[in-house]
């Protein structure tokens, strides 16, 4: 998909406007600006694993200047990504306008081949340093507390993506049912992309039939209930930035859906991100304490991190083998605690000689 985008941008296109710098603008993008707007600058900006991104500066009819951020992706997967991210960011912006750049629109390039889709949003000049924990966690807790599911259920009205992978976010009234569907979807994709692993399949079957109904189901038993909270759903440090002008932290590249709030910070358990630092989880829990039963919070956090590790292995394929193995270990830990195999019945545990290592490129704690 990325190669298709690069080809599109490197070719001369009759429906693209060439301006200062190196990014041709399709007329369907330009149609988002008022008549009489002048494009002063359009250039590639930032890095993205799955898309091409640019910064645009325009002069509006009243003489004022505005800057915008443009993201492009090709083919049907690009359409799902751009539509999903626009709706995710719009939902976040409605609840917390001071936490996300304002999304403007999404749509399709007029170009015929390859089909190319875009997302246009306000541009905020941000640094990429690791976010300050107190501000990030207080805003995140506010998002979780103040958001209201439009259906009263868990899910999202459109498919959203984690990276390039569509998520199973159809509406469900039960969080336990929703989470099983969410996790089963990525487990199936993992076997499609990374190959069948019989031992992992055995663990996953037990996770779905026994562990999740017991561990996650406890949130909805004995008079307890779970509030559907809007979560970012891909919140690592690379999807945050701090405004140079105001010092405000913003989040972007969202795959949002309504979920149990604790699902959000399952991603922070993943060891390959700097936000894995325990100060972030501890700070968040000061603003939004654990759900009941509180004594099972860490096990739920481990369960939620399995989702992020499996979808990471789907996104990054063979480069995610070490992370897939972490998910295997965590599943076994939870099975031992909540649904243990009979003596000699479980699959073998991983030995040190079996273990893959994560490359420096994929381990963000080393950059």
């Amino acid at each position: 998909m990325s190669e298709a985008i690069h080809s599109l941008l490197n070719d001369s296109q009759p429906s693209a406007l060439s301006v200062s710098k190196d990014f041709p603008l399709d007329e369907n993008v330009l149609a988002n600006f008022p008549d009489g707007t002048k494009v002063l600058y359009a250039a590639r900006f930032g890095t993205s694993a799955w898309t091409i991104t640019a910064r645009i500066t325009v002069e509006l009819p009243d003489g004022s200047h505005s800057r915008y951020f443009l993201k492009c992706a090709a083919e049907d997967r690009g359409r799902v990504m751009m539509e999903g991210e626009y709706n995710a960011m719009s939902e976040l912006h409605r609840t917390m306008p001071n936490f996300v750049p304002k999304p403007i629109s999404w749509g399709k390039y007029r170009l015929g081949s390859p089909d190319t889709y875009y997302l246009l949003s306000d541009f905020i000049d941000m640094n990429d340093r690791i976010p300050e924990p107190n501000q990030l966690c207080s805003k995140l807790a506010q998002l979780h507390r103040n958001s209201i599911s439009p259906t009263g259920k868990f899910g999202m009205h459109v498919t959203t993506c984690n990276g390039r992978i569509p998520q199973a976010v159809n509406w469900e009234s039960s969080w336990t049912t929703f989470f099983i569907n969410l996790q089963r979807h990525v487990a199936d994709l993992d076997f499609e992309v990374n190959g069948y692993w019989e031992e992992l399949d055995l663990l996953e079957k037990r996770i779905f039939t026994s562990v999740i109904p017991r561990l996650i189901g406890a949130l909805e038993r004995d008079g307890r209930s779970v509030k559907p909270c809007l979560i970012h759903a891909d919140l690592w440090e690379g999807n945050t930035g701090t405004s140079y002008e105001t010092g405000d932290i913003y989040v972007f590249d969202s795959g949002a859906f309504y979920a149990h709030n604790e699902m959000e910070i399952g991603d922070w358990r993943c060891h390959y991100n700097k936000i894995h630092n325990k100060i972030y989880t501890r700070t968040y829990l000061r603003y939004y304490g654990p759900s009941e039963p509180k004594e099972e919070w860490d096990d739920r956090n481990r369960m939620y991190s399995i989702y992020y590790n499996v979808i990471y292995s789907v996104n990054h394929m063979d480069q995610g083998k070490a992370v897939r193995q972490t998910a295997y270990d965590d599943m076994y830990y939870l099975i031992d605690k909540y649904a243990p195999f009979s003596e000699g019945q479980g699959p073998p545990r991983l030995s040190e000689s079996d273990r893959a290592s994560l490359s420096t490129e994929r381990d963000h704690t080393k950059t």
Side-chain angles (χ1 to χ4, degrees), residues 17 19-20 25 30 32-42 55-68:
L17 172 66
V19 294
S20 174
L25 293 178
L30 298 173
N32 289 282
F33 305 129
D35 289 343
T37 298
K38 298 177 182 177
V39 179
L40 304 178
Y41 179 95
R55 186 182 69 187
I56 303 167
T57 302
V58 303
E59 182 181 296
L60 298 171
D62 64 3
S64 63
H65 289 187
S66 289
R67 293 186 296 178
Y68 298 91

Side-chain angles (χ1 to χ4, degrees), residues 289-301:
S291 300
E292 295 286 356
K294 292 182 180 180
E295 65 274 14
E296 294 178 359
W297 177 87
D298 189 67
D299 291 335
R300 293 194 300 269
N301 184 253

Side-chain angles (χ1 to χ4, degrees), residues 143-159:
L143 169 69
H144 295 162
R145 287 189 185 281
N146 294 349
S147 55
I148 300 174
S149 168
T151 65
K153 298 179 180 182
F154 302 96
M156 193 66 170
H157 59 281
V158 299
T159 298

Side-chain angles (χ1 to χ4, degrees), residues 10-263:
N10 288 334
D11 291 344
S12 176
Q13 302 290 348
S15 64
L17 172 66
S18 293
V19 294
S20 174
K21 297 295 182 180
D22 64 353
F23 202 93
L25 293 178
D26 186 86
E27 46 184 62
N28 284 354
V29 175
L30 298 173
N32 289 282
F33 305 129
D35 289 343
T37 298
K38 298 177 182 177
V39 179
L40 304 178
Y41 179 95
R44 297 181 193 191
F45 182 87
T47 58
S48 173
W50 324 116
T51 63
I52 298 295
T53 53
R55 186 182 69 187
I56 303 167
T57 302
V58 303
E59 182 181 296
L60 298 171
D62 64 3
S64 63
H65 289 187
S66 289
R67 293 186 296 178
Y68 298 91
F69 182 76
L70 181 68
K71 177 182 288 190
C72 301
E75 300 160 350
D76 189 60
R77 177 165 281 176
R79 177 191 59 77
V80 176
M81 290 169 62
M82 296 300 95
E83 181 182 20
E85 186 175 341
Y86 171 77
N87 281 276
M89 295 293 285
S90 296
E91 200 79 1
L92 291 168
H93 190 267
R94 274 192 288 274
T95 302
M96 290 282 289
N98 64 339
F99 199 27
V100 297
K102 181 181 179 181
I104 305 299
S105 71
W106 83 280
K108 183 180 179 182
Y109 269 34
R110 186 172 177 272
L111 300 175
S113 180
D115 288 343
T116 302
Y117 300 86
Y118 70 88
L119 168 66
L120 184 69
S121 61
D122 281 348
F123 177 86
I124 298 173
D125 201 5
M126 297 179 278
N127 66 50
D128 60 358
R129 68 171 181 256
I130 190 165
E132 192 277 316
N134 194 63
Q135 184 188 157
L136 174 68
C137 294
S138 63
K139 283 186 168 182
L140 193 61
Q142 185 181 350
L143 169 69
H144 295 162
R145 287 189 185 281
N146 294 349
S147 55
I148 300 174
S149 168
T151 65
K153 298 179 180 182
F154 302 96
M156 193 66 170
H157 59 281
V158 299
T159 298
T160 57
C161 297
N162 179 298
R164 62 191 177 90
I165 303 304
Q167 303 177 111
V169 293
N170 291 335
W171 294 111
E172 288 286 350
S173 57
S174 163
W175 169 241
T176 306
T177 300
F178 178 88
F179 183 69
I180 288 174
N181 294 341
L182 186 77
Q183 185 71 45
R184 195 185 299 278
H185 172 70
V186 296
D188 290 344
L189 288 176
D190 179 46
F191 287 142
E192 288 179 23
V193 170
N194 293 314
Y196 182 68
W197 181 4
E198 182 180 2
E199 293 80 3
L200 178 60
D201 190 25
L202 289 171
L203 295 187
E204 287 179 336
K205 284 182 168 64
R206 205 163 189 88
I207 287 286
F208 291 130
T209 60
S210 301
V211 175
I212 295 177
R214 161 60 186 86
L215 176 62
I216 305 305
L219 294 163
E220 299 177 303
R221 283 197 296 271
D222 301 328
R224 292 185 286 261
S225 62
V226 180
K227 173 189 180 293
C229 301
L230 184 62
I231 68 169
H232 178 283
D234 191 12
L235 192 55
W236 64 291
E237 68 275 3
N239 287 342
T240 72
T242 303
S243 167
Y244 283 111
E245 182 178 355
T246 66
D248 290 332
I249 291 173
Y250 290 87
V251 298
F252 43 86
D253 286 358
S254 172
F257 53 88
Y258 286 88
H260 182 207
N261 69 295
E262 292 178 6
M263 177 78 188

